[in-house]
Amino acid sequence: MGGESKSETSQQSQTQPWQQAQPFLNNVLTQLQGGLGNTGVTSGENTALNTIQANANDAAAKYSPAVSNYATTLLNGGGATNQAGNVNDYYKQYYNATNPLASNTNYDPMQTPGIGDQLQAVKDNISQSVNGTFAAAGRDFSGYNQKALGSGIAAGLAPILTAQYNQNVQNQQGAAGNLYNAGNTTAGIQAGMTQQDLANRGQGVTAAGAAVDAANTGANATLAAEAQRRGIPVQALGLLAQIGIPIAGLGSQSSGTSNTTNQMSGVQQFQGIASGLGSLFGSGGGGGGGASTAANMIKFISDRDAKEDIEEVGRLHDGTAVYRYRYKGQPGFQIGLMAQEVEQYAPEAVGMIGQFKAVDYKLATDRSVKRVA
C-alpha cells in the first residue's frame, strides 16, 4: 500500500490538509470513544445465558440417572442370557423323551409293541380261509392242507414283518436326527444369546461415555456461558477498533521545514494512523493505552499481500522463517516475518489493520527466545 503526501512549509507556517474534516472526524471518534462503556454483556444477553445454564442443569438432573442406569445395564449384558436356563431345560425334556427311541438299534419287528396281535389276526384269517377250502373238499387236516396253510401264513406275514422292520429303522433314525438337530438348535440359541450379551456390553461402553456427557451437561453449559460473557465485550471492542483506527489517521497533520514531496510506504501510512489513534485515546504507560498497543501493531505490517519480491533469508531459533521483501510500490528491501505464518502458532501476535495483517514482533518471537533460554 503506497501513497504520496506533499507539504510546503517554512519556519513561519504549518499546513493542516484535513483541517476542514477534523471536526466531523472528531465527532465520529468521540462517539466511538463513548461507546467503549457499552461493550459489556447486556441484560438480555445475561438473561439468555442464565437460561441456558439453568436448562442444562435441569436436563442433567433429569436424564443423567436414567442414562447412567442404561449404561450399567448394557455393561452387565442387558439380560441377553436370562433365558439360557429355560432353553437348556427345554432341550433336556426333549432329549429325555426322544433318546430311548433314538438310541434303540434293535429293529426286530417282533419286539414292536402290538405287532403280535396284528400277526395273530392275519394268521387266523389265513387259517380260516385255507382250512375252509380243504374242509369243503373233504381233505382237511391232510398233508396238503398243512403245507398250504404254512405257505399262506408265511406269505401273509412276510410283508407285515418287513414293513415293520423298515418302519423301526426309520423311526430310530428319525429320532436320532431330530435329537441331533435339537442339540444344534439349542447350541445356536445359546451362542446367539452369548453374542448378544457381548454386543450389549460393547454398547454399554459407548453408553457410559454418553452418561458422562449427560452428567457434565450443566458444567459444560456454564463454561460456554462464561466464555460468552468474556467474549462479547472483546468482540465489541474489536469492532470499535476496526472502525476507529483508520478514521483516527485521517486527522493527522503534516509539517516540515523545507519544500518536499514524500512517497510514503504502507507501513509509514499505518504508523500515521496509529499516531492519530494515540492522540485521540491517550498515550503513555501504566494503563496500557490505545496508542502503545495500536502503534505497536501498525508499525510492523507483515501481511504477505502487502509485499513482493519475497525470498527466505533465514530462520529463528524456533524454525520461523525470516524473509527479505519489498512493500509493493516501494524500492527499498525490508527483513521480517510473515503475518500468515505467525498466526499459525501465535494468533495473539497478529491483528487486522484495514485490509492488512500486522504483527507484534515481541509476541511473535517469544517462542524463539524461550528456545534459546
Side-chain angles (χ1 to χ4, degrees):
M1 175 179 179
E4 185 176 85
S5 175
K6 294 183 179 180
S7 63
E8 297 179 359
T9 63
S10 66
Q11 296 295 334
Q12 293 80 27
S13 65
Q14 180 177 350
T15 63
Q16 297 180 346
W18 302 103
Q19 185 175 18
Q20 292 182 348
Q22 284 178 350
F24 169 76
L25 297 176
N26 285 334
N27 182 42
V28 173
L29 292 174
T30 299
Q31 293 184 49
L32 289 175
Q33 191 171 15
L36 293 175
N38 299 322
T39 58
V41 179
T42 68
S43 61
E45 290 170 335
N46 192 58
T47 299
L49 291 172
N50 288 336
T51 300
I52 291 173
Q53 288 180 262
N55 290 341
N57 287 324
D58 289 344
K62 183 182 298 183
Y63 301 118
S64 179
V67 175
S68 178
N69 182 63
Y70 171 72
T72 300
T73 300
L74 288 176
L75 287 171
N76 289 328
T81 60
N82 289 351
Q83 296 300 318
N86 290 334
V87 172
N88 282 332
D89 289 342
Y90 297 150
Y91 174 71
K92 289 177 181 179
Q93 294 174 14
Y94 183 79
Y95 179 87
N96 292 334
T98 308
N99 187 55
L101 178 58
S103 302
N104 182 21
T105 57
N106 182 6
Y107 305 133
D108 183 0
M110 296 303 296
Q111 301 296 321
T112 304
I115 190 66
D117 293 338
Q118 182 180 359
L119 294 177
Q120 186 61 48
V122 172
K123 286 168 48 176
D124 290 343
N125 289 335
I126 293 173
S127 296
Q128 291 177 5
S129 176
V130 173
N131 290 337
T133 301
F134 277 92
R139 300 177 60 190
D140 52 335
F141 303 109
S142 64
Y144 285 107
N145 184 183
Q146 297 301 318
K147 182 178 179 180
L149 180 60
S151 297
I153 290 175
L157 298 183
I160 296 175
L161 294 174
T162 300
Q164 188 61 55
Y165 176 87
N166 292 333
Q167 185 63 50
N168 289 348
V169 173
Q170 181 179 349
N171 290 344
Q172 186 273 332
Q173 293 294 318
N178 290 339
L179 198 58
Y180 175 78
N181 291 335
N184 286 340
T185 300
T186 301
I189 293 173
Q190 295 284 19
M193 288 189 293
T194 300
Q195 290 300 317
Q196 186 60 52
D197 180 86
L198 292 175
N200 288 347
R201 293 175 190 272
Q203 292 177 3
V205 174
T206 302
V212 174
D213 292 341
N216 290 336
T217 299
N220 288 333
T222 297
L223 291 175
E226 293 306 313
Q228 286 281 67
R229 286 191 175 92
R230 290 192 296 270
I232 290 174
V234 173
Q235 293 173 0
L237 287 171
L239 291 174
L240 292 177
Q242 289 181 18
I243 298 173
I245 289 175
I247 294 177
L250 298 177
S252 63
Q253 300 177 359
S254 62
S255 63
T257 58
S258 63
N259 295 329
T260 60
T261 299
N262 296 322
Q263 182 72 27
M264 299 179 66
S265 70
V267 174
Q268 291 170 325
Q269 289 191 28
F270 280 116
Q271 287 175 329
I273 295 175
S275 176
L277 183 63
S279 298
L280 176 65
F281 292 102
S283 62
S292 176
T293 300
N296 217 16
M297 293 182 65
I298 299 171
K299 187 176 182 180
F300 300 99
I301 301 302
S302 295
D303 197 312
R304 182 180 290 273
D305 293 337
K307 304 172 182 180
E308 59 187 356
D309 296 334
I310 301 170
E311 294 182 284
E312 183 177 333
V313 296
R315 288 184 176 268
L316 301 180
H317 293 290
D318 63 349
T320 302
V322 179
Y323 299 91
R324 181 182 70 177
Y325 56 86
R326 292 188 303 106
Y327 285 105
K328 292 180 178 179
Q330 302 302 314
F333 277 90
Q334 311 285 338
I335 292 179
L337 309 177
M338 291 295 167
Q340 284 81 353
E341 296 180 4
V342 173
E343 67 182 347
Q344 296 301 315
Y345 65 86
E348 70 279 4
V350 179
M352 289 298 299
I353 304 301
Q355 67 184 39
F356 294 115
K357 294 184 178 181
V359 170
D360 183 327
Y361 268 64
K362 179 182 182 305
L363 295 178
T365 57
D366 278 346
R367 186 174 70 168
S368 179
V369 172
K370 291 179 181 178
R371 293 287 176 89
V372 177

